Amino acid sequence: MGVSRREATCQQAVARGVVTRAQTDFSILAAVDIVFVCTPLAAILPTVEQLTANLPSDAIITDVGSVKSAIVASASPLWPHFIGGHPMAGNEQQGIAAGQRGLFIGAPYVLTPTATTLPRVLQTVSGLARSLGSQVITCSPEAHDRAVAWVSHLPVMVSASLIAACLAEPDRPLAQRLASSGFRDTSRVGGGNPELGVMMARYNRSHLRRSLLEYRRRLDEIIDYIEQEDWQSLEALLQVVHQTRTPFL
Amino acid sequence: MGVSRREATCQQAVARGVVTRAQTDFSILAAVDIVFVCTPLAAILPTVEQLTANLPSDAIITDVGSVKSAIVASASPLWPHFIGGHPMAGNEQQGIAAGQRGLFIGAPYVLTPTATTLPRVLQTVSGLARSLGSQVITCSPEAHDRAVAWVSHLPVMVSASLIAACLAEPDRPLAQRLASSGFRDTSRVGGGNPELGVMMARYNRSHLRRSLLEYRRRLDEIIDYIEQEDWQSLEALLQVVHQTRTPFL
């Protein structure tokens, strides 16, 4: 069963075989066991509020938002069977047409139960995530937000700054022609959905800010080595970085 | 004909069918028409110097170094038929085993002729580059170095700083498990060959320094928006970035 704001999306979802039935209001969900809220971050809480009037009392609600503390703290009191989720797969595209079969295979799927989460709720959502081929990871909403600030939200700002910096090149056509796989990969997440970038920053502001300040400290270190022509220290840093990356892959 | 410092590499090159014959000294090149110098940046000039005693006087020498001004300025006086080159394809691996059939297809191949370059020299190297499927781009050594500072060397430092920053996370195992395609892509070039990173910085220091300072200015702008909670300005910047990226791809 699918619910979307726009009728056209409902029709596309049925046509693509993504759902059996779809409509623009919540009445279609009167008998469901579990709801995945897949809206932008700012719409998750209003959606959970609306859902509470339309679901069986033992139904589970989960979300796929990329920030968890703020969502879980506010949604849990609204619905006792709410559990925060974050499937970490996707690309820079958006909308139903960007859907891909097998997108979740091998990808981390984070679930953030709290002290009040019933075991049944965690088990049901974990089972569904594993059935998609995801690797389920369980942690606190707070630990999730601190980790994704480094590996997901910081890369967006780092990458966006790279594209922004290149605007200063007077001969941009030549730079564009010479941009190759290195530029394409490093700029990918920064060139993604601007609204999503803002939402990450709003909802995970304190962790992201801390990551950004540490990032700037390391960047300044590199700039300093280059200004001082301290090639030995630059190579030592790049060696550490070279060895550090592998465990993240 | 191939020349390598190490006998093992010569044998591998013959075994892989990359060359017809290979050996560790330059005498094998006594009758060649053109030489591609594919050493690290610091070894290009010493190699050209050695070559001058071993080549027919009308042979062409070109290189594949990722910086051009310093190389071209020093190599041209040593050999009148020298032309600087930079095929912009590759990945974070190195050595003969990392070679890939078709790597050059569709990739930019920059040639940097000067006022003294004979038309025959440019035509011969262009023709060979096109026969590999590359797109030949001709510009001055200076214009090349300024452009690659933005799209090639700056991304390495930006990406390396990202990996270095993540070392500050106390729960690194969780961050590593949550690192997904966004982190993988943004960190790729920063985790590459440390020596190459240092050589880029040494040989293209002034352009890279300027790019880094402009990058830090844009990064500070983003940090400032996040500290001030100025979401409108952050979204406006991410919108510009979103629209700017496409022409680079």
Side-chain angles (χ1 to χ4, degrees):
Chain A
M1 305 290 157
V3 176
S4 172
R5 272 176 310 165
R6 299 195 309 128
E7 179 55 34
T9 309
C10 293
Q11 288 171 8
Q12 272 183 281
V14 173
R16 290 170 67 99
V18 171
V19 295
T20 310
R21 282 173 53 208
Q23 63 185 42
T24 56
D25 71 273
F26 289 105
S27 61
I28 198 175
L29 305 175
V32 301
D33 299 312
I34 176 164
V35 178
F36 286 80
V37 179
C38 304
T39 65
L41 277 169
I44 294 176
L45 284 176
T47 304
V48 171
E49 260 174 27
Q50 277 189 278
L51 282 168
T52 57
N54 289 275
L55 295 187
S57 65
D58 59 349
I60 295 167
I61 303 180
T62 187
D63 74 317
V64 298
S66 55
V67 177
K68 296 273 62 83
S69 300
I71 302 295
V72 173
S74 311
S76 299
L78 295 174
W79 193 257
H81 308 314
F82 178 88
I83 181 168
H86 183 201
M88 302 192 68
N91 57 34
E92 67 278 34
Q93 297 183 296
Q94 51 183 307
I96 192 166
Q100 274 174 29
R101 186 181 295 272
L103 182 64
F104 289 74
I105 295 172
Y109 198 120
V110 187
L111 292 172
T112 59
T114 64
T116 61
T117 306
L118 294 178
R120 169 182 82 84
V121 171
L122 175 60
Q123 281 158 19
T124 304
V125 184
S126 297
L128 276 164
R130 283 199 196 93
S131 74
L132 297 171
S134 295
Q135 304 204 333
V136 174
I137 295 167
T138 305
C139 65
S140 71
E142 176 73 9
H144 166 275
D145 288 357
R146 212 178 59 208
V148 296
W150 295 108
V151 297
S152 175
H153 303 166
L154 176 60
V156 169
M157 301 307 159
V158 160
S159 176
S161 303
L162 172 64
I163 305 171
C166 292
L167 292 170
E169 168 57 32
D171 188 359
R172 229 192 299 161
L174 179 65
Q176 286 165 353
R177 293 186 72 194
L178 298 196
S180 186
S181 58
F183 186 84
R184 186 179 62 233
D185 286 358
T186 318
S187 69
R188 185 176 68 80
V189 294
N193 182 350
E195 278 173 58
L196 185 60
V198 172
M199 285 301 136
M200 286 170 170
R202 283 182 76 153
Y203 282 79
N204 203 17
R205 179 168 167 269
S206 70
H207 289 123
L208 176 58
R209 180 180 170 279
R210 207 185 49 171
S211 298
L212 276 163
L213 294 179
E214 174 64 13
Y215 176 81
R216 185 171 60 185
R217 193 182 72 75
R218 301 311 300 252
L219 179 74
D220 282 346
E221 211 176 317
I222 287 181
I223 293 174
D224 195 50
Y225 294 151
I226 292 172
E227 291 195 332
Q228 307 296 320
E229 306 190 44
D230 181 353
W231 308 125
Q232 225 175 345
S233 299
L234 180 61
E235 184 160 351
L237 176 59
L238 294 179
Q239 283 287 2
V240 170
V241 156
H242 178 68
Q243 284 148 19
T244 302
R245 184 175 176 250
T246 312
F248 282 90
L249 303 183
Chain B
M1 303 292 155
V3 176
S4 173
R5 271 178 310 168
R6 298 194 310 126
E7 179 56 33
T9 309
C10 294
Q11 288 170 7
Q12 273 182 280
V14 173
R16 292 170 66 99
V18 171
V19 295
T20 309
R21 282 174 52 210
Q23 63 184 43
T24 55
D25 72 273
F26 289 107
S27 61
I28 197 174
L29 305 175
V32 301
D33 299 312
I34 175 163
V35 178
F36 286 79
V37 179
C38 305
T39 65
L41 278 168
I44 294 175
L45 285 175
T47 304
V48 171
E49 259 173 28
Q50 279 190 275
L51 281 168
T52 57
N54 290 277
L55 295 186
S57 66
D58 58 350
I60 296 167
I61 303 180
T62 186
D63 73 320
V64 299
S66 56
V67 176
K68 295 274 66 83
S69 300
I71 302 294
V72 173
S74 311
S76 298
L78 295 175
W79 194 258
H81 309 313
F82 179 89
I83 180 167
H86 182 202
M88 302 191 68
N91 58 35
E92 67 278 33
Q93 297 182 295
Q94 50 182 307
I96 193 166
Q100 275 174 29
R101 185 180 295 274
L103 183 65
F104 290 74
I105 295 172
Y109 199 119
V110 186
L111 292 172
T112 58
T114 64
T116 60
T117 307
L118 293 178
R120 169 183 83 85
V121 172
L122 176 59
Q123 281 157 20
T124 304
V125 186
S126 298
L128 276 165
R130 282 198 197 92
S131 74
L132 298 172
S134 294
Q135 303 202 333
V136 174
I137 295 167
T138 306
C139 65
S140 70
E142 177 73 10
H144 167 274
D145 287 356
R146 214 178 57 208
V148 296
W150 294 108
V151 297
S152 176
H153 303 166
L154 176 60
V156 170
M157 302 306 160
V158 161
S159 176
S161 304
L162 172 64
I163 305 170
C166 291
L167 291 171
E169 168 57 31
D171 188 358
R172 230 195 296 164
L174 180 65
Q176 286 165 354
R177 293 185 73 192
L178 299 195
S180 184
S181 59
F183 186 84
R184 186 179 62 234
D185 285 359
T186 318
S187 68
R188 185 176 67 81
V189 294
N193 182 350
E195 277 172 59
L196 185 60
V198 173
M199 285 301 136
M200 286 171 171
R202 283 183 76 152
Y203 282 79
N204 203 17
R205 180 168 166 269
S206 70
H207 289 123
L208 176 58
R209 182 180 168 279
R210 207 184 50 172
S211 297
L212 276 164
L213 293 179
E214 173 64 12
Y215 176 82
R216 186 170 59 182
R217 195 182 71 76
R218 301 312 300 252
L219 179 74
D220 281 344
E221 210 176 316
I222 287 181
I223 294 174
D224 195 50
Y225 293 152
I226 291 172
E227 291 195 331
Q228 306 297 320
E229 306 190 43
D230 181 354
W231 308 124
Q232 226 174 344
S233 298
L234 180 61
E235 184 160 351
L237 176 59
L238 294 179
Q239 283 288 0
V240 170
V241 156
H242 179 68
Q243 285 149 20
T244 301
R245 184 175 177 251
T246 312
F248 282 90
L249 303 183

